[in-house]
Amino acid sequence: MANILLVEDDEALNRGISFKLKKEGYNVFKVAYLMEARKIIHSENIDLVLLDVNLPDGNGFEFCNEIRNINNNILVIFLTVCDQEVDIVTGYDIGADDYITKPFSLMVLMLKVKAVLRRKVKVRSKKIIFSGDIVFHDEELKVFKSDKELFLSKTEFKLLKCLICNYNQIVTKDQILNELWDIDGNFINENTLAVNIRRLREKIEDDPSKPKYIKNIRGIGYTWGQGCKLND
């Protein structure tokens, strides 16, 4: 069952949500402070964070950014009284999977928790991604373009995976650099990233000077420019 981190400083609400989640069979880590939440994010395999915005020792939006830099696969649902349009837009812009304003029904919350976790399981269960004339085999570590296998370096493959698996999002340079950090501790810097982006474009783009797959978002990072279909 999924591991859920609940970050909520309202003691009664924290207790009520935690009780309901445990009753549904989830493993719950409940805290009231971001300091505690950071320790758990780094020490436990968290699937979903239920996150308030206004907390005693910090801001939930900032913590969501930290989570995205640590592990882009962790789901985040905001639970907050911040119901202005600008707040909701901010939440989704920084990578929230859902945004729930208080007061809310525990039944509705449980339905949303189940829905986002189902999406995560569905993505995990897929082995092949189709995008344009690119076919990406994650487990087999193979990539094909127009039925011809492309031979990528380890770094190029990890870079492609980072982009194609987040095809509906802008991936910042910091997020990419974290993904490309070598398991042996070899650091990948921005210059090396730019070189690998160029090499990868030369292999997957029809015209690297006019890329349709790897789009540059000036000053921020990159995004995968084509829609993707996951195999059943």
Side-chain angles (χ1 to χ4, degrees), residues 23 50 62 66 72 74 134 139 226:
K23 191 175 179 180
L50 300 178
E62 294 175 1
E66 292 177 32
N72 205 40
I74 297 176
I134 301 294
E139 287 198 343
Q226 296 290 307

Side-chain angles (χ1 to χ4, degrees), residues 201-227:
R201 278 177 171 156
E202 290 172 351
K203 293 180 180 181
I204 68 172
E205 301 282 3
D206 294 327
D207 183 354
S209 65
K210 298 178 181 178
K212 66 178 184 178
Y213 289 111
I214 303 176
K215 300 280 191 177
N216 181 46
I217 308 300
R218 186 177 297 276
I220 301 177
Y222 301 90
T223 188
W224 188 258
Q226 296 290 307

Side-chain angles (χ1 to χ4, degrees), residues 7-67:
V7 190
E8 170 59 64
D9 66 319
D10 183 311
E11 184 178 348
L13 186 57
N14 189 312
R15 186 168 56 249
I17 294 173
S18 176
F19 176 81
K20 183 64 174 174
L21 288 168
K22 289 178 180 178
K23 191 175 179 180
E24 294 290 329
Y26 298 111
N27 187 29
V28 182
F29 300 84
K30 64 185 184 74
V31 300
Y33 296 90
L34 289 177
M35 178 179 66
E36 300 169 304
R38 289 187 178 98
K39 292 178 182 178
I40 292 173
I41 280 290
H42 286 282
S43 63
E44 303 292 340
N45 184 25
I46 298 298
D47 297 292
L48 167 64
V49 180
L50 300 178
L51 180 60
D52 197 356
V53 172
N54 298 316
L55 291 156
D57 59 339
N59 182 281
F61 289 148
E62 294 175 1
F63 185 53
C64 183
N65 273 324
E66 292 177 32
I67 292 171

Side-chain angles (χ1 to χ4, degrees), residues 142-202:
K142 291 183 178 181
V143 181
F144 295 85
K145 178 179 173 64
S146 300
D147 297 324
K148 295 182 179 179
E149 185 173 358
L150 302 179
F151 296 97
L152 307 182
S153 69
K154 179 182 176 181
T155 300
E156 289 167 352
F157 185 88
K158 290 170 68 178
L159 176 56
L160 175 59
K161 179 177 179 178
C162 180
L163 293 170
I164 200 170
C165 289
N166 294 283
Y167 67 91
N168 58 345
Q169 302 178 43
I170 296 173
V171 187
T172 68
K173 291 180 181 179
D174 284 343
Q175 288 173 321
I176 296 174
L177 292 173
N178 285 335
E179 288 288 332
L180 299 189
W181 187 285
D182 193 272
I183 193 170
D184 298 319
N186 298 319
F187 181 65
I188 306 295
N189 59 34
E190 284 199 31
N191 290 332
T192 307
L193 173 59
V195 170
N196 279 279
I197 287 285
R198 185 180 72 249
R199 289 175 177 169
L200 185 56
R201 278 177 171 156
E202 290 172 351

